[in-house]
Amino acid sequence: MMSQLETAFATNISSDRTTALRVINELDKTLFGDYIKPKSDDVTGILRTGILDPAMDWLETPRPTEVRQYVFSMLLRMVDYHSKVGAVSKALLERTMTTLVADLTGEALKCFKQIRRFGMGGMLRATLEIEFIHQTLQQYVTPTTTTTFTDIYTTISDCYERRPDAAQQNLQAQLDGVKQTLSDARKATAINFVCFRRERTKSESAAKDRERSGTPKPERVRERTKDRSATSEASGLSERTRERTRTRDADADSTVSDRERRRP
């Protein structure tokens, strides 16, 4: 529109255009900030309460056998916001969710920095809960958020107090147990958090359908077609070779017969 105005009035309004765009961006930032802040405060408040729970002794807690309830409560609140925003504006959905996940991870980092020491059980529990959140919200994790997750894992590791006891000696078995707990929790809540999964592209969906139906991939079909073509060509070539051989043999027999008839 501004280009049309410049053409119509034979004037240059590039400076006005820059000013207008800056004002629009600032207004958009302010409006979106006011919109997202209550939602961010809500989910980060649930997270903060769970991590800094006075009843949680991060130094003495045993190895976790389940993900604590506060994680599910926070993620279900995210599901609610995902549904409401998606119903109003699909274009706003990704921006809203990536912002919430960024605020969430930032708050988690602040909270874990307030914990001075982790025992083995505490270290495993913190890792389990953060990894569960990370995997569930993977679709909305940006490179910046990935860096924050890395900082969280580093903070937990740096504050881990190693002890020369039997449990410490069996660290790998403890880790395997936590991995199984994480896998079980992910499977048990797959339906609850299905909205966070990335939608497949058409090509991915087609490949999945072929895999389910047992239909070979196009490239495999082409390879088989080439193989059959090559086999057919080879068979045809062999047949032509045999035909030529038979022709030569017949010609040779005919020549020999002519020679015998010409003899006195």
Side-chain angles (χ1 to χ4, degrees):
M1 186 178 69
M2 289 186 174
S3 298
Q4 293 175 350
L5 288 174
E6 288 179 337
T7 303
F9 295 99
T11 184
N12 188 348
I13 58 174
S14 59
S15 60
D16 296 328
R17 179 190 303 175
T18 302
T19 302
L21 290 175
R22 185 176 67 251
V23 171
I24 290 172
N25 289 334
E26 291 176 354
L27 181 61
D28 174 75
K29 184 178 180 180
T30 300
L31 291 175
F32 182 75
D34 292 341
Y35 171 78
I36 202 70
K37 189 176 187 306
K39 298 173 177 57
S40 178
D41 291 343
D42 186 17
V43 294
T44 56
I46 297 173
L47 180 74
R48 187 186 313 109
T49 300
I51 296 176
L52 300 180
D53 183 359
M56 170 55 64
D57 186 348
W58 290 102
L59 184 62
E60 301 296 338
T61 186
R63 194 201 83 186
T65 57
E66 62 181 3
V67 177
R68 288 188 293 161
Q69 184 59 41
Y70 85 93
V71 176
F72 299 124
S73 299
M74 179 199 66
L75 290 173
L76 287 174
R77 195 64 57 86
M78 295 277 284
V79 170
D80 183 46
Y81 291 140
H82 184 283
S83 175
K84 290 178 179 178
V85 175
V88 175
S89 173
K90 292 287 186 182
L92 192 61
L93 181 59
E94 184 170 355
R95 183 182 181 187
T96 299
M97 296 304 297
T98 53
T99 302
L100 287 176
V101 173
D103 292 346
L104 196 66
T105 53
E107 184 64 28
L109 180 59
K110 292 178 184 177
C111 292
F112 280 119
K113 283 184 175 180
Q114 297 180 44
I115 301 173
R116 294 184 177 182
R117 294 180 298 172
F118 292 91
M120 175 180 285
M123 180 269 292
L124 294 174
R125 179 175 293 280
T127 303
L128 168 66
E129 293 174 353
I130 290 300
E131 185 62 21
F132 184 85
I133 295 171
H134 191 175
Q135 292 187 17
T136 302
L137 299 174
Q138 181 62 46
Q139 180 181 355
Y140 300 107
V141 173
T142 64
T144 301
T145 308
T146 298
T147 301
T148 306
F149 271 116
T150 301
D151 293 340
I152 292 173
Y153 296 132
T154 301
T155 299
I156 296 171
S157 177
D158 290 344
C159 296
Y160 170 43
E161 185 177 277
R162 292 167 175 78
R163 298 176 179 177
D165 53 19
Q168 178 66 41
Q169 300 299 325
N170 199 21
L171 178 59
Q172 187 57 50
Q174 301 282 348
L175 289 172
D176 292 340
V178 170
K179 289 179 181 178
Q180 186 60 50
T181 301
L182 174 62
S183 176
D184 292 343
R186 290 275 291 156
K187 291 177 182 178
T189 59
I191 299 299
N192 303 79
F193 306 129
V194 69
C195 64
F196 298 140
R197 291 183 181 177
R198 182 177 65 86
E199 294 183 2
R200 292 194 185 100
T201 62
K202 291 183 178 180
S203 59
E204 290 174 337
S205 298
K208 193 68 176 179
D209 292 340
R210 285 195 299 270
E211 182 179 342
R212 289 175 179 174
S213 63
T215 304
K217 295 182 179 179
E219 55 269 21
R220 293 182 180 176
V221 173
R222 288 193 294 269
E223 289 176 0
R224 292 176 182 176
T225 302
K226 289 179 180 179
D227 291 341
R228 285 196 293 268
S229 298
T231 302
S232 299
E233 291 176 0
S235 300
L237 181 61
S238 299
E239 183 61 31
R240 288 193 297 272
T241 302
R242 287 194 293 270
E243 183 63 29
R244 290 172 183 173
T245 301
R246 286 196 295 269
T247 301
R248 286 197 301 267
D249 292 342
D251 292 342
D253 292 342
S254 177
T255 302
V256 171
S257 299
D258 290 343
R259 289 177 179 174
E260 289 179 351
R261 285 196 297 269
R262 292 174 184 173
R263 289 179 183 176

